[in-house]
Amino acid sequence: MMALKCFLRPWQWMLWLLLVSYCRAFYIPGYSINRYNDGDSIPLLVNKIFSDFTQLQYAYFDLPFVCPPSGRTHGGSPFGSGQSLSLNLGEILRGDRIMTSDFELAMGKNVECQPLCTQEVGRKDVQWGRELIKDGYVAEWIADNLPGATSFVTVDRSRKYYSTGFKLGYQEISPEDGKRRYFLNNHVTIVIRWRQAPDGQGKVVVGFEVYPKSITASDREEGGCPKQVHDPHAGFELNIPPNLEKLKEKYPGSSYLPEYDEDLEDGATLKIPFTYSVYFREENGVDWSNRWELYFNNQEEGSTTHWLAILNSLIISGVLGVAVYVIWSRTIQGDIKGRGDGAMDDTKIKLGSKGKGQGEGVLEQGTDVERDADAGSDDDESIEDVSGWKLLHGDVFRVPEYSGLLAPLVGSGMQLFFVVSGLLLLSCLGVLNPSFRGGFVSVGMGLFVFAGLFSGYFSGRLYKTFGGSNWRRNTLITALLFPGLTFSLIFILNLFTWAQASSTAIPFGTLVSLVALWLLIQVPLVYLGNWLGHVRASAWEHPTKTTSIARQVPIQPWYLRSVSGTLLTGLIPFAVLFIELLFLFRNLWQDKSSYYYVFGFLSSVSLILLVTIAEVTIIATYSQLCAENHHWWWQSFLTGGSSAFWIFAYCIWYYMFKLNVTGFVSGLLFFSYSFLACAVYGLLTGTVGFLTAYAFVKRIYSSVKVD
């Protein structure tokens, strides 16, 4: 009993109970079931419009040709329509603007037709609506955390799948004059698919489908609903006839008169009636836990290609693994342990002078390795017994140029490695799922801020290993360099999106919050990590001492030179990725609703990619050392991140031949975000390459014994 009392003190019992209560309160986002009884209100939320042909998004209620919120309450909600919902950071950054609407949905209650409003718009609003329809914009609504979807079936009609959103309208060529006509979808049929809850208590929503329709303003009942709403109707054309008299006055004698001139607003308007229908259908073929799979069913045909991409990656990584094994087991181990004369174990190495240059020690200045230009025949035999990479034992750990920049870059790379690893792990575990809207970006930002501790630690310790003393300056560079450049780029892009009044623009308050997270939380964590890495921890020890005079680097083969060699080595990791890149880009830039689908495959490919980068870096570093080039520090970093160049080239190809993006701002956003993503990728993989080469070089030179 005394032992138990000593083992669990009162404050420990309190901590234990707090932990238990926290664990019971934890749940994976998106796995909390909403149950409805007949007649219960289902809130319908409106979000934004987006297009595959442009990167500019707009809030739904910012459109002048839709029904504005009336502000009235319904369904027992204390909030009136038009109320903005509180959004997490990820939702704001991805352009979401979720608000309550005037649509009334009650579980089990079908509505044949319900008028919503009649909106009156002018020429400028009509013209903007025509441009949005031309660009293929679709609207996103939300019900029970499911985005409203357009339903499709496969060619053999065996499967159904969803595509997020529904089109604002459509266009067609007039058979009379050959001009384009634009029709607005002013009626929607909402289908809510439900089934009994797993425990039998209430009903759950397993599908939210929206079927838009364009119906002319004529032949309607007194309330505004069209007669026989589901019968074929003529479409509602989004058009106000031009004022020919004013156009002729402005363009006298011209044979071409524009349909719209913003300087000639004459007060003409167009009245648009909006209506909707609601139907509830029981669907027992879909479980609540699998309701999101309908949004990904159209990806099943690509699963074979994904597995082929993984197989391709494994083959490439396996071939490189064999090469690394040969280097390690036969070349290096044979040079060190397989020699009968014990040249590297028991004999003092004397090296002929191959050139002189000024250098500086890495950690400490030890006894110089003897360099005797007039060595006798015995020394010549020793030289012949020593292979190329062993000649560099006095220079291989020499401090690289611009070491004050390399250390912060490696620290930032470790920070990104922690973030990406955490995101992929949480995605594979299901914590980050489509139900957790904006969770990927929000969690990523949280991990990035917290990982400042790792960034500071690795940067500070490597900086100390390089012999640096001003660790506070290194802290500032680590904390401000990469986040500062990233924030500056995003801020400049934000100016362009602000000018377009797009919801893609980050609100000013959010920008202030991001700066506060950066300066008030991340910077102190980087400072703490740098203090731990530089002040409290010891520098990494090297197995050989650095001479005071640097060796002259001989002329290198073309494939080992900095630019050509780096680009050449980057092709191999790119070969691991390029098959998956097409699917990844399509889901990120085009089919924006199903990007969660690629996470499982991307996690597998990412692991193979990191192994491949480590193997490529080992082979490239060993080849460089055998060519008597001791400048491997920066080269290993560039080798690891070199595939980022080919990925950016792939982005250019994708933009030109696949994306069909129009407009200067959309193109600017695409290339800027692509460049930023490639920079993040290059920084992360470059760090992996550098640390792999560092461990490899330390390991092989630890077996070299120099008296």
Side-chain angles (χ1 to χ4, degrees):
M1 182 64 69
M2 289 294 295
L4 182 60
K5 290 182 178 179
C6 294
F7 181 71
L8 290 176
R9 296 183 176 88
W11 64 271
Q12 291 176 323
W13 275 107
M14 294 178 63
L15 286 177
W16 176 254
L17 291 175
L18 180 62
L19 178 62
V20 170
S21 63
Y22 175 78
C23 293
R24 291 184 63 185
F26 175 79
Y27 71 97
I28 297 177
Y31 283 82
S32 179
I33 300 179
N34 291 324
R35 294 176 173 83
Y36 301 94
N37 295 318
D38 288 338
D40 288 350
S41 176
I42 303 176
L44 192 150
L45 311 173
V46 297
N47 188 6
K48 61 186 178 183
I49 62 170
F50 59 90
S51 170
D52 293 342
F53 300 99
T54 175
Q55 301 306 316
L56 295 175
Q57 305 173 101
Y58 299 95
Y60 183 80
F61 276 148
D62 285 347
L63 304 179
F65 49 85
V66 302
C67 288
S70 64
R72 70 175 186 270
T73 61
H74 55 83
S77 172
F79 305 107
S81 62
Q83 177 71 31
S84 297
L85 271 66
S86 58
L87 306 177
N88 59 47
L89 181 60
E91 290 175 309
I92 296 175
L93 293 181
R94 68 194 293 264
D96 287 350
R97 301 295 183 266
I98 304 176
M99 305 178 73
T100 57
S101 72
D102 285 307
F103 292 91
E104 297 184 13
L105 280 66
M107 175 59 74
K109 182 180 179 181
N110 295 330
V111 177
E112 184 73 19
C113 181
Q114 177 69 32
L116 190 62
C117 79
T118 298
Q119 181 69 359
E120 190 171 358
V121 296
R123 292 186 183 276
K124 185 177 181 180
D125 300 332
V126 167
Q127 183 63 24
W128 189 31
R130 291 160 64 97
E131 292 176 358
L132 294 178
I133 293 174
K134 181 180 179 181
D135 289 337
Y137 272 89
V138 298
E140 180 182 334
W141 293 352
I142 301 170
D144 196 54
N145 207 28
L146 282 177
T150 301
S151 177
F152 298 94
V153 293
T154 56
V155 177
D156 59 0
R157 307 186 69 84
S158 61
R159 294 194 315 271
K160 181 174 70 172
Y161 63 90
Y162 286 163
S163 177
T164 297
F166 62 93
K167 288 188 174 295
L168 288 178
Y170 62 94
Q171 55 181 322
E172 64 180 29
I173 303 298
S174 174
E176 300 175 355
D177 52 12
K179 294 183 179 180
R180 289 187 179 274
R181 303 173 64 191
Y182 299 90
F183 296 88
L184 180 69
N185 291 324
N186 58 342
H187 178 87
V188 291
T189 299
I190 300 170
V191 177
I192 302 294
R193 300 195 177 274
W194 60 273
R195 65 170 299 165
Q196 291 293 330
D199 56 3
Q201 298 181 2
K203 301 176 180 179
V204 295
V205 176
V206 295
F208 174 31
E209 302 170 5
V210 180
Y211 299 90
K213 190 175 183 179
S214 181
I215 301 178
T216 182
S218 60
D219 195 21
R220 289 179 175 259
E221 297 177 352
E222 183 177 351
C225 282
K227 298 179 180 179
Q228 303 299 324
V229 64
H230 298 299
D231 289 348
H233 293 83
F236 183 88
E237 185 175 2
L238 199 59
N239 179 51
I240 298 179
N243 191 325
L244 296 179
E245 295 182 359
K246 289 192 175 183
L247 288 175
K248 290 179 180 179
E249 291 178 2
K250 185 174 182 179
Y251 304 97
S254 176
S255 59
Y256 171 76
L257 297 177
E259 293 185 7
Y260 171 72
D261 191 324
E262 60 182 7
D263 296 330
L264 298 180
E265 284 285 352
D266 56 358
T269 59
L270 177 67
K271 293 183 178 181
I272 309 174
F274 286 94
T275 54
Y276 67 95
S277 304
V278 182
Y279 295 96
F280 289 84
R281 296 291 182 264
E282 186 174 5
E283 179 62 69
N284 293 320
V286 179
D287 293 332
W288 186 91
S289 59
N290 299 325
R291 61 180 187 165
W292 278 92
E293 291 185 1
L294 289 172
Y295 293 86
F296 307 143
N297 274 346
N298 60 327
Q299 304 285 346
E300 289 184 358
E301 297 177 358
S303 297
T304 303
T305 307
H306 285 295
W307 288 113
L308 289 176
I310 294 176
L311 180 61
N312 168 70
S313 305
L314 288 173
I315 292 175
I316 295 175
S317 180
V319 171
L320 292 175
V322 172
V324 172
Y325 175 78
V326 170
I327 289 175
W328 183 257
S329 64
R330 295 187 178 182
T331 307
I332 299 176
Q333 295 293 345
D335 286 343
I336 295 174
K337 297 181 179 179
R339 302 182 53 85
D341 56 7
M344 295 304 296
D345 294 333
D346 303 316
T347 304
K348 177 180 178 180
I349 302 177
K350 295 184 179 181
L351 307 174
S353 177
K354 293 192 176 184
K356 296 182 179 181
Q358 297 300 321
E360 155 180 280
V362 179
L363 294 176
E364 54 182 333
Q365 299 298 329
T367 304
D368 294 349
V369 176
E370 184 176 352
R371 301 175 183 267
D372 189 359
D374 300 323
S377 59
D378 293 339
D379 297 334
D380 293 336
E381 292 178 1
S382 298
I383 295 173
E384 292 177 358
D385 289 337
V386 178
S387 60
W389 65 271
K390 297 170 189 170
L391 297 173
L392 302 179
H393 64 84
D395 298 278
V396 71
F397 294 110
R398 188 176 302 280
V399 175
E401 294 182 350
Y402 307 107
S403 60
L405 177 61
L406 181 58
L409 290 180
V410 172
S412 298
M414 288 302 299
Q415 182 179 14
L416 294 172
F417 181 81
F418 177 83
V419 173
V420 173
S421 300
L423 289 176
L424 290 178
L425 177 62
L426 293 175
S427 299
C428 292
L429 293 176
V431 176
L432 298 180
N433 56 72
S435 297
F436 190 7
R437 184 174 287 101
F440 191 82
V441 178
S442 298
V443 174
M445 289 295 299
L447 291 175
F448 184 82
V449 172
F450 174 75
L453 186 66
F454 297 90
S455 173
Y457 177 82
F458 282 93
S459 175
R461 194 165 186 185
L462 184 60
Y463 182 71
K464 186 175 184 178
T465 302
F466 287 150
S469 57
N470 193 350
W471 66 274
R472 289 184 174 85
R473 184 182 65 179
N474 179 65
T475 299
L476 288 178
I477 296 176
T478 305
L480 302 180
L481 179 62
F482 174 73
L485 293 177
T486 302
F487 181 82
S488 299
L489 175 62
I490 292 177
F491 180 78
I492 293 173
L493 294 176
N494 220 45
L495 297 178
F496 288 92
T497 52
W498 266 338
Q500 299 291 324
S502 170
S503 65
T504 308
I506 304 174
F508 180 76
T510 304
L511 287 176
V512 174
S513 301
L514 291 175
V515 173
L517 285 173
W518 173 27
L519 298 180
L520 301 182
I521 300 179
Q522 184 188 351
V523 171
L525 287 175
V526 173
Y527 182 90
L528 176 61
N530 222 294
W531 178 79
L532 292 174
H534 190 279
V535 178
R536 302 293 296 178
S538 59
W540 283 308
E541 296 182 357
H542 296 152
T544 62
K545 298 179 181 179
T546 302
T547 61
S548 59
I549 300 177
R551 291 176 58 87
Q552 182 178 2
V553 178
I555 298 176
Q556 301 291 296
W558 68 270
Y559 55 85
L560 291 179
R561 294 171 187 169
S562 57
V563 177
S564 58
T566 299
L567 295 180
L568 184 64
T569 54
L571 279 173
I572 300 177
F574 176 73
V576 173
L577 275 181
F578 84 99
I579 296 179
E580 282 293 324
L581 283 178
L582 182 61
F583 290 92
L584 180 63
F585 280 26
R586 186 178 67 186
N587 284 277
L588 287 177
W589 296 108
Q590 292 180 297
D591 192 5
K592 302 177 178 65
S593 63
S594 56
Y595 59 91
Y596 284 90
Y597 170 78
V598 300
F599 284 154
F601 294 100
L602 191 61
S603 300
S604 303
V605 174
S606 298
L607 293 176
I608 303 173
L609 174 67
L610 294 181
V611 174
T612 303
I613 289 173
E615 294 168 343
V616 169
T617 307
I618 289 175
I619 296 173
T621 303
Y622 179 73
S623 302
Q624 182 180 358
L625 295 178
C626 287
E628 301 182 26
N629 184 357
H630 58 83
H631 299 300
W632 62 272
W633 300 91
W634 276 106
Q635 191 65 26
S636 64
F637 185 87
L638 296 176
T639 298
S642 56
S643 54
F645 170 81
W646 298 106
I647 294 177
F648 189 73
Y650 189 89
C651 293
I652 298 175
W653 174 85
Y654 189 84
Y655 178 85
M656 296 177 62
F657 297 102
K658 293 290 184 180
L659 197 56
N660 298 322
V661 166
T662 58
F664 170 76
V665 176
S666 295
L668 179 65
L669 291 175
F670 174 83
F671 284 108
S672 298
Y673 286 130
S674 297
F675 175 79
L676 181 59
C678 290
V680 169
Y681 168 86
L683 192 58
L684 190 155
T685 54
T687 300
V688 172
F690 171 83
L691 294 178
T692 302
Y694 188 35
F696 172 75
V697 172
K698 286 182 64 176
R699 178 64 183 85
I700 65 174
Y701 281 94
S702 64
S703 302
V704 177
K705 182 178 180 181
V706 181
D707 294 334

